[in-house]
Amino acid sequence: MNRIDQRFATLKAQGRTALIPYLTAGDPAPEYTVGFMHALVEAGADIIELGVPFSDPMADGPVIQKACERALKHGTRLTHLFAMVREFREQDTETPVVLMGYLNPIERMGYEAFADQAQAAGVDGVLTVDMPPEEADEFGPVLKARGLQSIFLVAPTTSDARAGTISAHGEGYLYYVSLKGVTGAATLNVDEIDAHLAPLRKLSDLPLCVGFGIRDGATAAAVGKVAEGVIVGSVLVGQIAACVDDPAAIAPRLKDILGEMRQALDA
Amino acid sequence: MTKFSDLTRMPDARGHFGPYGGRFVSETLSFALEELEETYMALRDDPDFQAEFDHDLAHYVGRPSPLYHAERWSRELGGAQIWLKREDLNHTGAHKVNNTIGQALLAKKSGKPRVIAETGAGQHGVATATVAARLGLECAIYMGAEDVERQKLNVYRMQLLGATVIPVESGSRTLKDAMNEALRDWVTNVDTTFYIIGTVAGPHPYPMLVRDFNAVAGREAREQSLKQIGRLPDALIACVGGGSNALGLFYPFVEDEGVAMYGVEAGGDGVETGRHAAPLTGNAPRGVLHGNRTYLMSDEGGQVSDTHSISAGLDYPGVGPEHALWKDVGRVSYVAANDKEVLEAFRELTHVEGIMPALESAHALAYAKVLAPTMRPDQHIVVNLSGRGDKDILTVAKLDGIEI
Ligand SMILES: Cc1ncc(COP(=O)(O)O)c(C=O)c1O
């Protein structure tokens, strides 16, 4: 069984909510990323979304845009991400890792070459922000053949018909984008999220995880009541931005923030 | 091998031009694009919609634009006769308004109170601010900070028209970054905002509808050629940034196999230097950006390259997906003109014909200078003069060391 499915099965048995942090790989520099991943797991991460830096992150707000710029200044590219995941797997063979990013770096590498290397490195899933299922005819099967799961987004604007298509193609979990906007945007409305998730549950057996707008223990716990998982990105990445000159301070801060969310979710 | 007649049946139902095009967007925008596609497909062949579009083009834009025989310049070049399709004479001074008139009608139908656009040279921004003023819509224009600097006149023009101009500081601070930021705005305000994309790029259905709205120039040029030349021209030339003025001219001629077509990209310092904005001529790899698959300048890791061109409107690392297909099937020859050649052509047309072209359009003229002398005086070339050069006076003055 894929590590992602395994993890959700375990969480379900325990009656717990998945906590899914996102970090841009290579930020503030490539040598820190694996250490951050371990720190996140220690603080209670169930799955790690590892962002592939891209020059034109159209769906991201300023916080993750700047993270991409920092990572790209050091030349971080897919081959480095594979090396990071390989190194992470030397110590951690259980925590699922999802690569999240934009299609162009993958197109440039070639679908097969990408999938081969991702599988060999120990990646479990791939979320390509700008590739809806309609465009994934070719890529989806290439991933599937190597046991890599395709994770798709669902948005507040997604029609029921589209949600049906997406859940038919999706694996692992559905990533529900909590608001119309880019990453790092302001507030979320839990009642609205709940209202959107209800019809999705009828369409799909996949765990529903909610991202965009989760900032602290309170928002995580509120969303955790209506979803199988919460995804947190910009708040963590913002800590990296605040400590670029003192990288040693980053991991403890990441652990504090994620730890607070873990506690709030499990309370 | 694709037959040229097949090219008139593109894109397919999912917005693909062969392997190119498509709808590569984050999920939040899928709904808005489906809605736009539905609206447009319903109106496309609706005679009332077409009549309204034609009426606006005639009475607001001032169409048809003339096909002007540049006799003196043709004589000086000593070869084929050069005819200029005078899109510079349109209201607001470029071909861009053909598209914004069309999309404004769609925006009106959508009932959304706000429009946004990206702009490079500022011509599309001006054309958008213009239709927004006319319809009483709120208008925000995203423009790379570098372009805000080099196209100051157009920035103030947009502001006079009531638009908010938002300088974009991210990335290379040019057109592609403006488009990123416009997409971010759209994703945030999709319920209230209509995005007027300015070229034949972006996610489906934009490449199709921007082409359709611009094709009026090609239809006119075809008719005018038959009337004024007595036959179809031997060649067409247009500059290619995203490629909307080029497709607008070329599309109605696509099945006329005797008509050669040349798309002129921005050669910058020279394609061989790597400092250019010529994905087709420079043999860029395939890639995905801004919602479509096309030829895209990017490095080995798939990061989009910075581009270089004297002309803000062509300073873009990709190209409309239909051009990518037309390159593959060989319907159009893509070439590049470098900054130096472009400035020469700019000055030459101004001196010899009293017509000051936009620096974008001067790319097409620069290639006309190369092509015409290789042809006979009884042969004919139609060049798309996509815009007028007033907006570029400050750029040229600066190169001349003159402070205005
Ligand atoms: C006068 C003029 N011509 C051409 C272009 C390039 O656009 P396209 O390649 O879509 O025609 C621009 C863009 O700003 C322009 O202002």
Side-chain angles (χ1 to χ4, degrees), chain B residues 193-253:
Chain B
T193 299
F194 188 100
Y195 182 13
I196 300 186
I197 291 186
T199 190
V200 286
H204 179 60
Y206 283 103
M208 167 178 71
L209 63 87
V210 177
R211 173 198 73 198
D212 291 351
F213 291 142
N214 271 297
V216 62
R219 283 195 301 274
E220 286 174 9
R222 201 170 180 285
E223 232 172 79
Q224 289 165 326
S225 299
L226 291 174
K227 214 184 267 166
Q228 293 173 239
I229 305 173
R231 63 177 179 83
L232 294 178
D234 301 281
L236 307 176
I237 306 178
C239 67
V240 176
S244 64
N245 88 87
L247 269 185
L249 178 66
F250 295 170
Y251 193 68
F253 290 90

Side-chain angles (χ1 to χ4, degrees), chain B residues 93-96 119-124 198-200 239-246 312-314 358 360-361 386-388 391:
Chain B
H95 71 288
K96 297 282 181 191
T119 196
Q123 285 304 120
H124 175 60
T199 190
V200 286
C239 67
V240 176
S244 64
N245 88 87
L314 304 184
E360 289 78 16
S361 322
S386 56
R388 68 181 187 223
K391 69 182 176 61

Side-chain angles (χ1 to χ4, degrees), chain B residues 263-296:
Chain B
V264 189
E265 296 188 299
D269 292 347
V271 172
E272 70 289 348
T273 67
R275 290 175 51 86
H276 59 83
L280 297 175
T281 318
N283 289 317
R286 285 183 192 174
V288 173
L289 183 70
H290 296 152
N292 65 90
R293 183 181 283 119
T294 186
Y295 286 108
L296 176 68

Side-chain angles (χ1 to χ4, degrees), chain B residues 160-357:
Chain B
L160 285 173
L161 287 160
T164 307
V165 180
I166 303 161
V168 177
E169 297 284 353
S170 56
S172 57
R173 306 161 84 233
T174 56
L175 183 53
K176 90 173 163 72
D177 310 286
M179 195 144 178
N180 290 336
E181 212 53 37
L183 284 164
R184 291 180 187 121
D185 179 315
W186 200 32
V187 106
T188 309
N189 302 299
V190 62
D191 292 333
T192 57
T193 299
F194 188 100
Y195 182 13
I196 300 186
I197 291 186
T199 190
V200 286
H204 179 60
Y206 283 103
M208 167 178 71
L209 63 87
V210 177
R211 173 198 73 198
D212 291 351
F213 291 142
N214 271 297
V216 62
R219 283 195 301 274
E220 286 174 9
R222 201 170 180 285
E223 232 172 79
Q224 289 165 326
S225 299
L226 291 174
K227 214 184 267 166
Q228 293 173 239
I229 305 173
R231 63 177 179 83
L232 294 178
D234 301 281
L236 307 176
I237 306 178
C239 67
V240 176
S244 64
N245 88 87
L247 269 185
L249 178 66
F250 295 170
Y251 193 68
F253 290 90
V254 69
E255 290 181 276
D256 300 317
E257 294 195 19
V259 181
M261 299 178 180
Y262 299 89
V264 189
E265 296 188 299
D269 292 347
V271 172
E272 70 289 348
T273 67
R275 290 175 51 86
H276 59 83
L280 297 175
T281 318
N283 289 317
R286 285 183 192 174
V288 173
L289 183 70
H290 296 152
N292 65 90
R293 183 181 283 119
T294 186
Y295 286 108
L296 176 68
M297 293 168 58
S298 72
D299 69 14
E300 299 241 298
Q303 308 301 335
V304 180
S305 311
D306 284 353
T307 51
H308 299 275
S309 168
I310 191 171
S311 114
L314 304 184
D315 209 350
Y316 184 71
V319 61
E322 197 157 15
H323 284 292
L325 177 65
W326 287 15
K327 172 182 161 140
D328 286 3
V329 303
R331 180 63 188 98
V332 179
S333 305
Y334 293 92
V335 296
N338 65 34
D339 289 351
K340 193 167 152 281
E341 296 161 339
V342 167
L343 278 166
E344 275 169 25
F346 171 91
R347 291 181 200 279
E348 198 166 307
L349 196 77
T350 306
H351 280 155
V352 175
E353 294 286 350
I355 297 173
M356 191 182 295

Side-chain angles (χ1 to χ4, degrees), chain A residues 7 9 23 41 59-60 84 100 120 131 133 153 176-177 181 188 199 221 238:
Chain A
R7 179 58 54 113
L23 287 182
V41 174
D60 286 296
M84 291 169 189
M100 178 169 182
M131 189 181 226
L153 301 172
Y176 180 74
V177 177
L188 44 74

